[in-house]
Amino acid sequence: MKGRGTRTINPTDFQAVTPGNHLKEQFVIIDAVGVCESDKTDSRPLERKRSVPFNKLLQDVAADVRDEDTLMSLAVRLVKLEKQLNDDERQELQTVAGGKSIQEITRDLLDALDPDRQINQAQQQFNTSSPTAEQQQQVAEILINQACQPFDNYQFRDLLKELKTKNEQIIDNVSQDVVLQAGFDTTARDKARKIVETFRQCLEANKDEVIALQILYNQPYGQRHLTYEQIKQLANTLKRPPCNLTPEKLWDAYSQLEADKVRGAGVQKLLTDIISLVRFAMGEMEVLEPFSVSVEEKFQQWVGGKGFSSQQVVWLEKIKAYIITSVRIEAEDLQEMPQEAFQGYQLFGNDLMGILDELNEVLAA
């Protein structure tokens, strides 16, 4: 029974047999005849401190509280958290941790607590086949301190806390919703004002920390060279607590408060729309419109005065579409599109790179 319970299963297959759930994190044994009363196995759980909050575990480790129970519990929490993260969040954690993935950090914690690993390390360090208990303890402390190094970084700890809070979700499958009142929500505008105010506060609080905001706040309008990765970092910052904001939520709030200044209803919202939202909040734009609408207008003005052939315009339309979703295009990006690169050199020759630079400046700056 325990063997079947501890089997792993990928999230897709798990959701197929248990609708409404996302990951297999635990199992329950229903012992109808008392088999477990004579259980002879060592079944001590890896999670030793269930009642201790995740934040407290991180704080304890940073304060050199590094006993086996604390580190084992932290490792278990990290394993569960890693399964809930998306690729962008994993990459962000790895960057802040100095290049180590969350899986590597967890493995280092478990290896540091492994008695066999400690003995092997002690044998090598002290050049003996039978290290003493004191020698093994010295090695254990070294291994543990090395494994805990990422947690000395407060930015790493803060990011772990934010991601843990973001991915926590309590689903009530028991209680039933009851309609108490139907009618116009008089608090909707108040909620919208609060969202917009939170947005402004988040921009102010992060304008010196997030690269995209540093560029938007400090660089002249025509010299802003944003990248997709920088926009994604900004989106992740806004999405996490205490901001808890998404482009869709912000767009809806502005639509309620300033409907006459918001354009692009029904236009597909993209991650790059964050640029428009920030510029509008900064007062640089009188009208809030999707990034795609702004790029399209600039493109038509630019291409109209160039005298390009119809074939050239068709190719330029493809580059415009790329900039709409990716902010800008570089030579390396073009190399990943061999057909477009070949056509571009055929149509523009040696002028191609100059045209791409000009497009970036005109459409994305």
Side-chain angles (χ1 to χ4, degrees):
M1 293 167 69
K2 286 186 177 180
R4 291 182 178 275
T6 54
R7 287 180 183 176
T8 60
I9 182 172
N10 68 63
T12 302
D13 293 340
F14 182 66
Q15 292 164 20
V17 295
T18 55
N21 294 282
H22 301 287
L23 298 168
K24 179 181 178 181
E25 296 182 337
Q26 62 183 16
F27 64 93
V28 177
I29 295 178
I30 307 300
D31 184 5
V33 294
V35 174
C36 292
E37 292 177 3
S38 58
D39 186 12
K40 302 299 182 182
T41 61
D42 180 8
S43 57
R44 187 186 181 193
L46 293 178
E47 172 64 276
R48 311 285 173 79
K49 294 188 172 183
R50 292 184 179 275
S51 61
V52 179
F54 183 65
N55 292 359
K56 182 67 165 55
L57 287 176
L58 291 174
Q59 181 180 340
D60 287 347
V61 172
D64 285 334
V65 179
R66 297 175 177 180
D67 58 278
E68 181 179 344
D69 287 354
T70 297
L71 296 182
M72 191 67 74
S73 296
L74 177 59
V76 171
R77 307 281 183 95
L78 291 176
V79 169
K80 292 181 179 179
L81 176 61
E82 196 277 336
K83 293 180 180 178
Q84 298 171 339
L85 302 177
N86 57 42
D87 291 340
D88 292 340
E89 292 167 340
R90 292 188 184 96
Q91 183 58 50
E92 189 175 4
L93 273 173
Q94 185 168 340
T95 301
V96 175
K100 272 193 173 183
S101 69
I102 191 72
Q103 290 179 324
E104 291 173 324
I105 292 171
T106 305
R107 186 176 63 243
D108 288 346
L109 286 175
L110 296 175
D111 286 347
L113 297 172
D114 183 358
D116 292 334
R117 177 74 177 271
Q118 296 170 1
I119 292 173
N120 290 337
Q121 189 74 14
Q123 289 173 338
Q124 296 178 16
Q125 181 169 328
F126 296 101
N127 194 25
T128 176
S129 59
S130 302
T132 64
E134 290 76 12
Q135 291 173 331
Q136 183 178 343
Q137 180 62 31
Q138 290 181 33
V139 169
E141 290 179 2
I142 294 172
L143 291 174
I144 288 172
N145 288 333
Q146 289 175 343
C148 292
Q149 280 182 353
F151 302 97
D152 293 333
N153 181 350
Y154 77 92
Q155 293 179 319
F156 180 65
R157 298 197 306 272
D158 288 347
L159 184 55
L160 282 174
K161 295 173 189 176
E162 290 176 4
L163 294 176
K164 180 70 164 60
T165 302
K166 170 183 171 292
N167 286 285
E168 283 179 339
Q169 184 180 19
I170 300 175
I171 301 176
D172 185 354
N173 292 321
V174 179
S175 305
Q176 292 186 352
D177 292 334
V178 178
V179 177
L180 301 178
Q181 182 180 358
F184 180 75
D185 185 3
T186 56
T187 64
R189 290 183 65 84
D190 292 336
K191 292 178 182 177
R193 289 191 188 93
K194 185 175 181 180
I195 289 172
V196 169
E197 181 59 29
T198 299
F199 182 44
R200 290 171 179 158
Q201 291 173 355
C202 288
L203 293 181
E204 186 66 26
N206 292 281
K207 67 180 183 180
D208 296 325
E209 303 293 333
V210 179
I211 297 176
L213 293 180
Q214 291 177 10
I215 294 173
L216 288 170
Y217 271 87
N218 300 319
Q219 294 296 325
Y221 187 82
Q223 300 178 20
R224 295 172 177 174
H225 298 159
L226 291 166
T227 67
Y228 185 77
E229 290 302 320
Q230 292 165 352
I231 295 300
K232 190 160 59 173
Q233 180 198 20
L234 172 56
N236 289 336
T237 299
L238 293 175
K239 186 165 54 176
R240 292 194 297 265
C243 300
N244 297 313
L245 299 172
T246 63
E248 293 79 10
K249 184 185 292 187
L250 287 166
W251 214 276
D252 289 342
Y254 278 119
S255 296
Q256 291 188 54
L257 298 176
E258 304 181 69
D260 58 326
K261 295 183 179 181
V262 179
R263 293 173 53 189
V267 176
Q268 180 185 4
K269 299 299 185 294
L270 302 171
L271 187 64
T272 48
D273 287 331
I274 289 178
I275 300 174
S276 299
L277 287 162
V278 174
R279 287 175 175 169
F280 187 72
M282 292 170 60
E284 289 188 354
M285 297 172 58
E286 294 184 1
V287 176
L288 176 60
E289 59 185 9
F291 185 69
S292 59
V293 174
S294 175
V295 169
E296 181 65 38
E297 291 178 352
K298 293 176 182 177
F299 178 79
Q300 294 303 329
Q301 293 175 4
W302 177 79
V303 79
K306 292 292 184 179
F308 292 124
S309 68
S310 58
Q311 285 184 316
Q312 289 175 323
V313 172
V314 169
W315 186 87
L316 291 168
E317 290 272 2
K318 296 179 182 179
I319 303 303
K320 176 204 66 180
Y322 185 91
I323 291 176
I324 286 175
T325 58
S326 303
V327 188
R328 60 188 292 112
I329 186 167
E330 304 292 353
E332 304 83 51
D333 301 321
L334 192 61
Q335 296 308 316
E336 295 180 3
M337 303 182 287
Q339 184 175 354
E340 284 74 10
F342 178 74
Q343 291 176 348
Y345 282 109
Q346 274 191 324
L347 293 169
F348 298 100
N350 294 331
D351 296 332
L352 179 60
M353 291 298 104
I355 288 175
L356 291 182
D357 290 340
E358 191 174 349
L359 271 175
N360 284 326
E361 293 296 333
V362 171
L363 303 186

